[in-house]
């Protein structure tokens, strides 16, 4: 080959290479090589987009999910075609959800979204409405379809399945799309006149407010709701009037009765205390913790006043537990006069907590619990409060230890200037101390090595958005081989892990016929193992799907043959044979908004409520909620539990409540239940987790409510004037932040509230609590969780 031919060949190859990088679908397509994009399971969005037209249903379905997860706006037309033309309703729903998740996709397919509002599949209609709402005025070409959807009766009755009805989302989309015009005013006004619930009325008022001054013809109807007892509706009506009229008299705040508010000076006083608390933590407790960590007695003494007075417990009560794996001791006041300590002695007492950590300096933190001026209102005088001193580390390599002390203190006014000097700590007392040590860590993270892949599931530290509730973990031995199996529901997909010998697991999701993706809805999945057909094999309810367990060999989708439909907004499903007919029944829990925008009400209006579904056999269920009296009385219920509270052999039901006290429903043995409270005063608030069991082995089932606890909230409410609110309301407000509760069953349906006494209250904003005999001593132990998310991944939540 001569030189000229070689040059020509090189030129041709270069041209071919240049074309290759410009041809979509080429293995070296330039945008795939140089455009930085997120990936899903190691593949780019463009790579997944190529599978959207794959004839294989599962392949295409997985591609829809991946494209929606990663975000690929250029795929919008293909997704829109699937959404509007595919004969498979699930595929249409998945495509509509993917479009709603991809930023900028909706604007490219407005006509298709308008057509999707007529789809027979309600998930398609909901997702289309959500997307049109997201794109605002760019949805104007869809206004005629939105108006038609606003009056579509199918869109009114789906509170069972969504937090909002489709009609509400359509109304909001219509309001935003027609902002500045009167194109949708008549339709919205008509919908407001015929609305059946307060949430729908409030939503339509918001939509008319978004229209602006052009919605003036609707003002008379909107003003009718300014005096509503339903606070969210009242507030929506007020804001709508303000947007439509501006500052005209008819829109002034004075037209609406105000909720009870603290005077400005009182609010300012509370803020001043919290501000001083922040200063104390930074400039006072910081150096205190550093001195203890450094084992520096001299530095501790410098923080104490010349006339410092300290005390320690004298001959305290000791509560001790020693097993082969841990030693724990708590010392607390036994009612005897305390021992007086001077500066040096008190500094040495604090450093005694440091002694077990001789091998390496522990982590030390001083947390503020309570704080207030010693004389109410006197910010310039002495202050007093309580704090928790916590040291954590190892007393030997690989051997953990912890020390926790509760301190009561009196200090100089906590300003940065005062705390930067010496002698600001005037008095201090050790009022309780706890120490613990173990020869090794009690639990080890072994998920990956045992076959459970954490990378498959949503991680709030790695993902862009925080998802408070990503799903759940459900355990049973579905194949009856003696090894427990695990189902994980998650925003990234559901996985079934089969238990194997040696504590290992294998992923059998696809092999056993279960979908590995979430259904087309942006809500957590509620699931339950339950033997629906009574054949001895646990079937699976997973969201809106029902799967029959075929003798532990596979799962068969029987959704079409059963009328069981767990609402899409369900957060929990608990199982029992409440009527003892031999067939397992389901109780479904759902959350709701506060009744009037205030936690003080304790319940919610216009709530979908909980559901009792009676198993009538042959895969059929009957909704007996109203007839049985189990809807929950308007409570917002994260979880519930079946228990035999009165030892009569019939399952009773305890319903937790996010906004107040729960309710114990006693089985009347005739298909109905009678409700009764656990206490004659506020005893719970913010219940998001629940565990039941006989903690003291007295034959009676006790109840642990995992509630909201807040040190800052406790300070704020503790610093209110005693008469700031009526006594009954003040009692409720103190429960808002008091933490978890342990209701000890004394028999005859009488319960004692001992959460604070047993020191299981101050956990956090708790969710999945668990009672289990972890050490095998025959007594139930309590695993309590905290709902906070740490700022630092190296530190525990809570």
């Amino acid at each position: 080959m001569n030189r000229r031919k070689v040059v020509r060949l090189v030129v041709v190859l270069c041209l071919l290479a240049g074309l290759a990088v410009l041809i979509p679908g080429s293995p070296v397509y330039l945008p795939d090589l140089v455009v930085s994009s997120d990936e899903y399971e190691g593949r780019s969005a463009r790579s997944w987009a190529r599978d959207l037209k794959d004839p294989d249903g599962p392949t295409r379905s997985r591609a829809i999910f991946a494209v929606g997860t990663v975000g690929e706006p250029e795929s919008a037309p293909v997704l829109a075609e699937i959404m509007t033309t595919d004969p498979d309703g699930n595929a249409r729903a998945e495509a509509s959800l993917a479009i709603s998740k991809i930023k900028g996709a909706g604007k490219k397919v407005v006509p298709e979204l308008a057509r999707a509002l007529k789809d027979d599949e309600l998930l398609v209609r909901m997702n289309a409405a959500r997307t049109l709402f997201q794109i605002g005025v760019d949805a104007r070409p869809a206004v005629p379809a939105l108006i038609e959807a606003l009056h579509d009766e199918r869109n009114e009755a789906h509170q069972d399945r969504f937090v909002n009805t489709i009609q509400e989302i359509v109304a909001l989309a219509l309001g935003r799309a027609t902002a500045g015009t009167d194109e949708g005013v008549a339709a919205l006004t008509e919908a407001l006149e015929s609305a059946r619930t307060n949430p729908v009325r409030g939503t339509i008022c918001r939509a008319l407010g978004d229209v602006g001054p052009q919605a003036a013809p609707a003002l008379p109807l909107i003003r009718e709701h300014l005096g509503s007892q339903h606070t969210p509706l009242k507030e929506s009506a007020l804001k709508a009037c303000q947007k439509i009229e501006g500052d005209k008299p008819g829109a002034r705040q004075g037209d609406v009765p105000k909720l009870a508010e603290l005077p400005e000076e009182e609010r300012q006083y509370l803020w001043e205390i919290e501000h001083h608390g922040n200063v104390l933590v930074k400039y006072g407790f910081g150096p205190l913790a550093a001195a203890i960590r450094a084992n520096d007695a001299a530095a501790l003494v410098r923080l104490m006043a010349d006339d410092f007075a300290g005390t320690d417990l004298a001959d305290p009560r000791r509560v001790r537990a020693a097993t082969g794996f841990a030693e724990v001791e708590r010392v607390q006041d036994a009612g005897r006069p305390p021992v007086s300590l001077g500066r040096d002695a008190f500094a040495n007492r604090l450093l005694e907590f440091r002694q077990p950590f001789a091998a390496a300096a522990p982590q030390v933190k001083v947390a503020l619990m309570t704080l207030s001026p010693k004389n109410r209102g006197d910010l310039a005088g002495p202050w007093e409060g309580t704090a928790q001193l916590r040291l954590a580390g190892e007393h030997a390599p690989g051997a953990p230890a912890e020390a926790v002390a509760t301190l009561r203190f009196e200090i100089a006014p906590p300003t940065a200037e005062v705390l930067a000097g010496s002698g600001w700590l005037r008095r201090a007392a050790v009022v309780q101390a706890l120490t613990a040590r173990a020869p090794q860590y009690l639990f080890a993270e072994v998920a990956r090595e045992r076959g459970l892949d954490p990378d498959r599931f949503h991680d709030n530290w790695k993902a862009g958005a925080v998802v408070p509730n990503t799903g759940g973990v459900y355990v049973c031995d579905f194949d009856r081989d003696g090894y427990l199996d695990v189902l994980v529901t998650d925003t990234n997909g559901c996985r079934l892990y089969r238990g194997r010998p040696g504590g290992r697991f294998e992923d059998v999701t696809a092999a056993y016929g279960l979908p590995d993706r979430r259904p087309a809805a942006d809500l957590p999945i509620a699931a339950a193992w339950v033997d629906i057909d009574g054949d001895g094999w646990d079937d699976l309810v997973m969201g809106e799907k029902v799967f029959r367990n075929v003798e532990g060999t596979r799962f068969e989708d029987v959704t079409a043959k059963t009328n069981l439909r767990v609402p899409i907004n369900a957060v929990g499903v608990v199982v029992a044979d409440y009527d003892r007919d031999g067939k397992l029944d389901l109780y479904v829990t759902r959350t709701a908004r506060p009744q009037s925008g205030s936690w003080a009400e304790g319940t919610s209006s216009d709530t979908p409520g909980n559901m009792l579904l009676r198993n009538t056999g042959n895969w059929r269920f009957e909704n007996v909620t109203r007839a049985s009296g189990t809807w929950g009385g308007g409570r917002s219920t994260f979880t519930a539990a079946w228990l035999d509270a009165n030892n009569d052999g019939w399952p009773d039901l305890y319903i937790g409540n996010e906004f107040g006290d729960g309710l114990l429903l006693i089985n009347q043995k005739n298909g109905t239940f009678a409700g009764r409270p656990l206490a004659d005063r506020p005893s719970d608030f913010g219940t998001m987790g629940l565990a039941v069991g006989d903690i003291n082995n007295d034959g009676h089932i006790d109840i642990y409510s995992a509630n909201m606890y807040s040190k800052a909230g406790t300070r704020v409410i503790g610093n209110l004037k005693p008469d700031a609110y009526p006594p009954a309301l003040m009692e409720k407000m103190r429960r808002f932040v008091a933490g978890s509760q342990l209701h000890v069953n004394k028999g005859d349906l009488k319960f004692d509230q001992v959460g604070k006494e047993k020191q299981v209250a101050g956990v956090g904003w708790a969710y999945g609590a668990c009672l289990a005999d972890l050490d095998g001593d025959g007594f139930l132990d309590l695993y309590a969780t905290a709902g906070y998310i740490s700022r630092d991944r190296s530190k525990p939540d809570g």
Side-chain angles (χ1 to χ4, degrees):
M1 184 180 292
N2 60 35
R3 183 175 180 181
R4 179 174 294 178
K5 289 182 178 180
V6 170
V7 171
R8 287 177 179 174
L9 179 60
V10 170
V11 170
V12 170
L13 290 174
C14 289
L15 289 172
L16 290 174
L19 289 172
V21 300
L22 296 175
I23 298 173
S26 164
V28 291
Y29 181 43
L30 185 60
D32 282 350
L33 296 177
V34 303
V35 176
S36 175
S37 62
D38 291 331
E39 294 185 346
Y40 178 75
E41 294 189 348
R43 295 176 57 186
S44 68
R46 290 182 184 275
S47 173
W48 280 108
R50 297 179 195 132
D51 291 343
L52 290 176
K53 295 187 177 182
D54 195 295
D56 178 64
T59 300
R60 180 188 56 181
S61 181
R62 191 162 185 79
I64 294 171
F65 180 82
V67 169
T69 299
V70 178
E72 175 50 49
E74 298 306 317
S75 300
V78 181
L79 290 171
E81 182 180 356
I82 298 172
M83 175 182 68
T84 54
T85 64
D86 199 290
D88 184 351
N90 285 332
R92 298 198 305 274
E94 291 165 352
S96 67
L97 177 63
I99 293 172
S100 75
K101 292 165 65 176
I102 301 173
K103 185 177 180 180
K107 295 180 182 180
K108 299 176 180 291
V109 293
V110 172
E112 290 84 355
L113 290 168
R115 290 203 298 276
L117 290 174
K118 300 180 181 180
D119 199 282
D120 289 336
E121 173 57 54
L122 67 92
L123 286 171
V124 177
R125 301 200 304 276
M126 172 58 88
N127 290 325
R130 287 173 57 189
T131 306
L132 291 169
F133 166 74
Q134 292 165 4
I135 63 179
V137 294
D138 289 312
R140 186 155 289 171
V143 166
L146 285 168
I147 292 175
E148 184 176 348
L150 186 67
H151 299 303
D152 188 338
E153 291 185 357
R154 297 179 302 169
N155 295 334
E156 296 179 15
H158 292 292
Q159 280 279 23
D160 280 359
R161 308 185 70 185
F162 304 110
V163 176
N164 301 100
T165 63
I166 299 175
Q167 183 189 43
E168 289 179 82
I169 305 302
V170 166
L172 292 172
L174 181 59
R176 296 184 68 182
T178 61
T181 76
D182 62 358
E183 195 172 352
V185 172
L188 287 168
T189 304
E190 182 181 347
L192 180 57
E193 284 183 308
S194 60
R196 300 176 185 177
T197 69
N198 286 329
V200 172
R201 296 182 189 103
T203 300
I204 298 174
C205 285
R206 282 179 54 198
L208 287 164
D210 289 341
V211 170
Q214 286 75 15
L219 278 172
L221 187 58
I222 295 173
R223 289 196 189 104
E224 290 182 8
H225 301 298
L226 290 174
S228 173
Q229 296 300 308
H230 187 263
T231 301
L233 170 57
K234 179 169 56 181
E235 292 175 348
S236 295
L238 172 64
K239 291 177 182 178
C241 289
Q242 290 171 334
K243 287 184 175 182
I244 296 169
E245 292 187 288
D247 293 328
K248 292 182 180 180
R252 284 200 298 265
Q253 179 73 42
D255 292 342
V256 182
K258 284 187 177 182
L259 293 174
E261 291 185 357
L262 289 174
E264 176 61 30
E265 62 181 63
E266 188 70 10
R267 282 181 279 166
Q268 183 64 30
Y269 176 68
L270 297 175
W271 161 245
E272 287 287 348
I273 293 176
E274 286 304 291
H275 168 67
H276 282 75
N278 292 335
V279 172
L280 174 60
V281 169
K282 182 176 182 179
Y283 296 104
F285 288 171
L288 178 64
I292 295 174
R293 187 175 191 276
N295 204 22
D296 190 341
L300 283 174
V301 169
R302 283 195 296 271
L303 302 178
M304 303 177 195
D306 292 340
D307 60 348
F308 173 83
T311 62
D312 193 11
L313 297 168
D315 192 15
R317 179 190 174 203
R318 297 180 181 273
V319 181
R320 190 170 186 271
T323 68
F325 60 85
E327 295 180 7
V328 182
E329 182 180 60
R330 185 174 71 230
V331 296
Q332 59 194 67
D333 186 15
R336 298 175 179 85
V339 177
S340 296
L341 301 175
R343 285 193 300 181
D344 292 338
F346 195 83
N348 290 333
R349 177 68 179 102
L350 293 180
L351 292 179
E352 286 180 14
F353 296 114
R354 170 74 170 71
Q355 290 178 1
F357 309 95
Q363 296 180 6
V364 183
K365 181 178 180 180
V366 184
L368 181 63
M369 298 174 69
T370 65
L371 180 68
S372 61
K374 192 170 183 179
N375 298 307
R376 194 179 198 284
D378 183 10
L379 302 180
W383 289 55
E384 60 186 7
T386 56
Q388 183 189 79
L389 168 65
R390 180 176 183 270
L391 299 84
E394 294 183 344
H395 65 89
E402 182 179 25
V404 180
T406 302
L407 307 176
R408 187 169 55 244
F409 60 82
E410 181 182 313
I411 59 175
T415 64
E417 295 76 19
V418 169
L419 297 169
S422 60
W424 53 266
L425 184 58
R426 296 178 174 178
R427 285 172 174 72
V430 177
V431 296
Q432 180 174 288
L434 180 144
T435 56
R437 65 169 62 200
Q440 63 186 28
Y441 287 94
L442 303 184
F443 290 92
E445 168 55 57
V446 296
R448 195 183 304 278
E449 68 184 69
R450 295 298 177 91
L452 302 169
D453 185 1
D455 292 336
R456 283 191 172 275
F457 306 117
H458 180 90
D459 187 330
N460 281 324
W461 286 99
K462 295 178 181 178
V466 171
V467 179
N469 185 358
T470 59
V473 178
Y474 305 86
V475 179
C476 88
D477 182 9
F478 76 82
D479 53 2
R480 294 175 18 190
D481 64 354
Y483 299 103
L484 291 175
D485 313 301
V486 177
L487 171 74
V488 182
T489 64
D490 186 78
T491 56
N492 289 346
C494 302
R495 313 301 298 181
L496 176 62
Y497 293 97
R498 184 183 177 214
R500 306 298 295 149
R504 299 191 61 80
F505 293 88
E506 64 173 326
D507 186 342
V508 296
T509 311
Y512 277 71
L514 292 181
D516 65 351
R517 297 168 293 100
R518 291 162 52 83
D522 198 16
L523 289 169
I525 292 175
W529 294 104
V530 50
D531 183 5
I532 294 176
D533 56 357
D535 65 353
W537 298 88
D538 286 326
D539 308 303
L540 177 60
V541 178
M542 190 166 67
E544 295 189 298
K545 295 287 188 177
V546 182
F547 298 91
R548 176 177 173 260
N549 185 343
V550 185
E551 299 184 347
T553 62
R554 61 186 175 87
F555 287 92
E556 174 190 0
D557 188 341
V558 294
T559 308
K561 68 180 290 187
T562 176
N563 66 342
L564 176 60
R565 295 292 183 272
V566 172
I568 203 167
N569 61 348
V571 293
V573 180
V574 289
V575 181
D577 179 11
Y578 81 91
D579 53 1
R580 303 205 319 190
D581 66 351
K583 296 183 284 291
L584 293 174
D585 313 300
L586 306 179
Y587 189 73
V588 180
T589 62
R590 291 186 282 190
T591 57
R593 293 170 287 192
Q595 181 165 344
S596 59
S598 168
W599 289 354
E601 298 289 342
T603 56
S604 174
S605 61
D606 298 297
T607 175
N610 303 324
M611 301 169 63
L612 179 59
L613 304 176
R614 178 175 176 265
N615 187 342
T616 60
N618 196 30
W619 299 93
R620 312 300 290 177
F621 286 80
E622 176 187 4
N623 188 337
V624 295
T625 309
R626 295 287 176 177
S628 62
T630 55
W631 80 290
R635 288 168 174 80
S636 177
T637 307
F638 273 86
T639 186
W642 293 100
L643 70 156
D644 187 359
N646 54 4
N647 293 340
D648 66 353
W650 289 76
D652 307 305
L653 180 65
Y654 183 71
I655 302 169
N657 184 11
E658 185 183 7
F659 302 116
D661 289 320
L663 184 67
L664 178 61
L665 294 169
I666 303 301
N667 195 327
Q668 302 298 292
K669 310 175 188 178
N670 59 3
T672 67
F673 291 77
R676 59 182 300 147
L678 296 181
D680 59 0
R681 63 192 183 284
S683 60
D684 281 309
F685 184 89
T687 303
M688 294 173 282
L690 193 63
V692 298
D694 184 2
I695 65 163
N696 51 7
N697 289 346
D698 66 352
H700 303 298
I701 303 297
D702 311 299
I703 299 172
Y704 178 77
S705 297
N707 300 336
M708 288 170 51
Y709 170 74
S710 169
K711 292 188 291 291
T714 300
R715 287 195 301 275
V716 170
I717 292 177
N719 283 311
L720 285 171
K721 285 184 177 180
D723 59 351
Y725 294 103
L729 180 55
M730 286 293 292
E731 191 173 19
K732 280 187 179 182
M733 292 175 65
R734 281 190 284 270
R735 276 304 320 169
F736 286 176
V737 293
S740 298
Q741 186 65 273
L742 180 57
H743 302 274
V744 174
N745 188 341
K746 308 299 291 184
D748 296 325
L749 296 177
K750 296 178 181 177
F751 290 81
D752 286 346
Q753 287 66 48
V754 298
K756 186 175 182 180
E757 173 191 336
K758 300 300 183 183
Q759 303 202 22
V760 295
V763 177
W765 288 32
Y767 285 83
C770 174
L771 281 167
D773 184 5
L774 298 175
D775 57 359
D777 66 353
F779 285 85
L780 293 175
D781 307 303
L782 175 63
Y783 180 77
T785 61
Y788 291 122
I789 297 174
S790 300
R791 297 180 182 180
D792 183 344
R793 185 167 192 149
S794 66
K795 299 176 181 177
D797 290 343

